[in-house]
Amino acid sequence: MKLKLGILDQSPTIEGGSSLQALKNSIDLALFADKAGFHSVIYSEHHGVEAYGSSSPEILSAIILSKTERIKVGTGGIMMKNYSAYKIAEWAKMLESLYPERFVLGLGKAPGGLKDAVSALNNHRPVVLSSQETKLEEIIQYIKEEKGVYEELIAQPKGLTHLPEILWLGSGIQSAREAAQHGVGYSYADFMRNDQGTKSTETYLSEFDRNQYSPVPSLQVAVAVSVAEDLKSAQYNAYGMAYQFLQARHIQAPEALLPSETVEQRILGSEDEEEFFKILDHIITDTPGNISARLREKADEYGTDELIILCNMFKETDRIDTYKSIILANV
């Protein structure tokens, strides 16, 4: 059976490149994905970070929905602490109205940027660290047009034929449990994996409440992948992505993607060398002939048929070739 394969696009920038080029690359990738047979393309949200070109996944989603025909398009995810539940519900309902059953509302609890970016997004006021689960409840109330905080308030447009799909993003058991209790989809970030990965997804599936937002659980697992004609090249092409993961682990704003040669010079002999290669080992690197079996193993590990693929490369041709190899192998 075929896997449902999606793309997690962070609109990566490269050293010496521009965010505008990164956004153009995202549009080209989505057009390819729509024709090639990918199930979905999801856009991340980052603020004040050199590494990523898109700060507004809702706007990018709207543009891509208007340019494609069949692929599901969405946010992965909106960083909820920076916005009101009411506004999120309004534009989610608008996109679902205009593109029925094609929009995916992915929601995340992370800040989406370092301290200054989060402060600026919140109009220089201290961030309210209230439960993001409460905000999810409020979003659902507005979407379903139920009475909530403001009894008579509606989120336009009203009277949707279909409710937008909701994905709760996370990498731990608490997020999995929240998604299950509210009956929404769960997207587990395997590329940020901790030791409780499969326990998180098992919790989601076993505790899913079919009487809430959706009657059927939807489990998606996000993995980092690099494919090339030989294994050494696949690993080498992933150096820039692995280095960004390393910087994020150290709570540093990731730089734009660096050439593999530059990363190699920085890493070899450094105090970060061992950690870097552990991160690299967790990226799925393989050849076109083997990648289908590797992805199937990952899907079986988590008990799902839906994977979303993250691939950030210094050379855009290497990124496209990875996605081409993956979709061609999925037969």
Side-chain angles (χ1 to χ4, degrees), residues 220-279:
Q220 176 190 94
V221 175
V223 294
V225 182
S226 173
V227 182
E229 287 303 315
D230 60 84
L231 185 57
K232 183 177 180 180
S233 296
Q235 292 173 334
Y236 201 59
N237 290 346
Y239 271 32
M241 181 163 52
Y243 190 66
Q244 288 183 331
F245 292 166
L246 176 69
Q247 290 178 308
R249 279 194 183 185
H250 292 180
I251 318 181
Q252 300 171 351
E255 299 174 63
L257 283 165
L258 299 170
S260 298
E261 297 83 356
T262 302
V263 175
E264 189 173 45
Q265 291 169 3
R266 289 191 183 186
I267 287 298
L268 293 184
S270 74
E271 61 182 14
D272 295 324
E273 181 175 353
E274 182 178 356
E275 184 180 5
F276 172 83
F277 282 105
K278 284 182 179 179
I279 292 171

Side-chain angles (χ1 to χ4, degrees), residues 275-330:
E275 184 180 5
F276 172 83
F277 282 105
K278 284 182 179 179
I279 292 171
L280 185 66
D281 284 343
H282 191 63
I283 297 173
I284 300 173
T285 56
D286 220 312
T287 61
N290 293 331
I291 192 59
S292 179
R294 294 288 304 281
L295 294 178
R296 172 56 66 184
E297 288 173 4
K298 183 64 69 172
D300 290 345
E301 178 185 352
Y302 286 103
T304 185
D305 66 349
E306 186 169 355
L307 298 180
I308 187 162
I309 313 297
L310 173 64
C311 175
N312 291 345
M313 302 286 189
F314 182 78
K315 295 180 180 178
E316 185 65 12
T317 52
D318 291 334
R319 184 164 81 131
I320 295 292
D321 285 347
T322 287
Y323 286 121
K324 284 181 178 178
S325 296
I326 288 170
I327 201 66
L328 288 172
N330 188 44

Side-chain angles (χ1 to χ4, degrees), residues 3-12 25-44 60-61 64 68 70-77 104 167 169 187 191 220-225 295 306-312 316 319-327:
L3 295 173
K4 288 197 293 187
L5 296 175
I7 292 173
L8 173 56
D9 186 1
Q10 296 180 325
S11 302
N25 290 344
S26 287
I27 293 173
D28 290 343
L29 178 60
L31 295 175
F32 155 75
D34 189 42
K35 292 183 173 66
F38 278 94
H39 175 70
S40 62
V41 58
I42 303 295
Y43 297 106
S44 62
L60 192 52
S61 293
I64 298 303
T68 52
R70 45 151 296 277
I71 196 168
K72 289 198 169 195
V73 181
T75 61
V104 180
L167 276 177
L169 279 62
S187 183
F191 66 92
Q220 176 190 94
V221 175
V223 294
V225 182
L295 294 178
E306 186 169 355
L307 298 180
I308 187 162
I309 313 297
L310 173 64
C311 175
N312 291 345
E316 185 65 12
R319 184 164 81 131
I320 295 292
D321 285 347
T322 287
Y323 286 121
K324 284 181 178 178
S325 296
I326 288 170
I327 201 66

Side-chain angles (χ1 to χ4, degrees), residues 8-187:
L8 173 56
D9 186 1
Q10 296 180 325
S11 302
T13 62
I14 65 169
E15 184 185 49
S18 68
S19 55
L20 178 59
Q21 186 59 55
L23 293 171
K24 289 180 177 178
N25 290 344
S26 287
I27 293 173
D28 290 343
L29 178 60
L31 295 175
F32 155 75
D34 189 42
K35 292 183 173 66
F38 278 94
H39 175 70
S40 62
V41 58
I42 303 295
Y43 297 106
S44 62
E45 176 179 342
H46 296 92
H47 299 279
V49 180
E50 181 186 2
Y52 311 115
S54 173
S55 59
S56 302
E58 72 282 12
I59 293 177
L60 192 52
S61 293
I63 292 167
I64 298 303
L65 282 164
S66 74
K67 290 177 176 289
T68 52
E69 296 179 359
R70 45 151 296 277
I71 196 168
K72 289 198 169 195
V73 181
T75 61
I78 293 300
M79 299 296 104
M80 295 169 57
K81 65 180 61 178
N82 300 322
Y83 313 102
S84 73
Y86 185 56
K87 186 58 182 174
I88 292 172
E90 282 185 320
W91 58 250
K93 292 182 74 176
M94 179 173 286
L95 289 176
E96 179 61 32
S97 298
L98 295 172
Y99 303 96
E101 299 185 88
R102 288 186 58 206
F103 175 65
V104 180
L105 176 60
L107 299 167
K109 297 187 289 184
L114 297 183
K115 182 179 177 181
D116 287 350
V118 175
S119 176
L121 284 163
N122 286 272
N123 201 28
H124 317 297
R125 294 190 298 267
V127 178
V128 178
L129 297 176
S130 59
S131 170
Q132 298 305 297
E133 185 183 8
T134 301
K135 189 172 284 189
L136 171 62
E137 293 170 356
E138 192 176 347
I139 290 169
I140 290 173
Q141 287 170 346
Y142 288 128
I143 289 175
K144 295 177 71 175
E145 297 169 14
E146 299 173 338
K147 291 183 179 180
V149 177
Y150 306 100
E151 188 169 327
E152 302 299 325
L153 183 63
I154 61 168
Q156 289 279 32
K158 61 184 294 189
L160 297 185
T161 304
H162 301 96
L163 299 182
E165 180 180 346
I166 296 178
L167 276 177
W168 194 238
L169 279 62
S171 57
I173 292 174
Q174 182 61 32
S175 294
R177 183 161 283 133
E178 291 164 353
Q181 290 173 349
H182 294 284
V184 299
Y186 180 53
S187 183

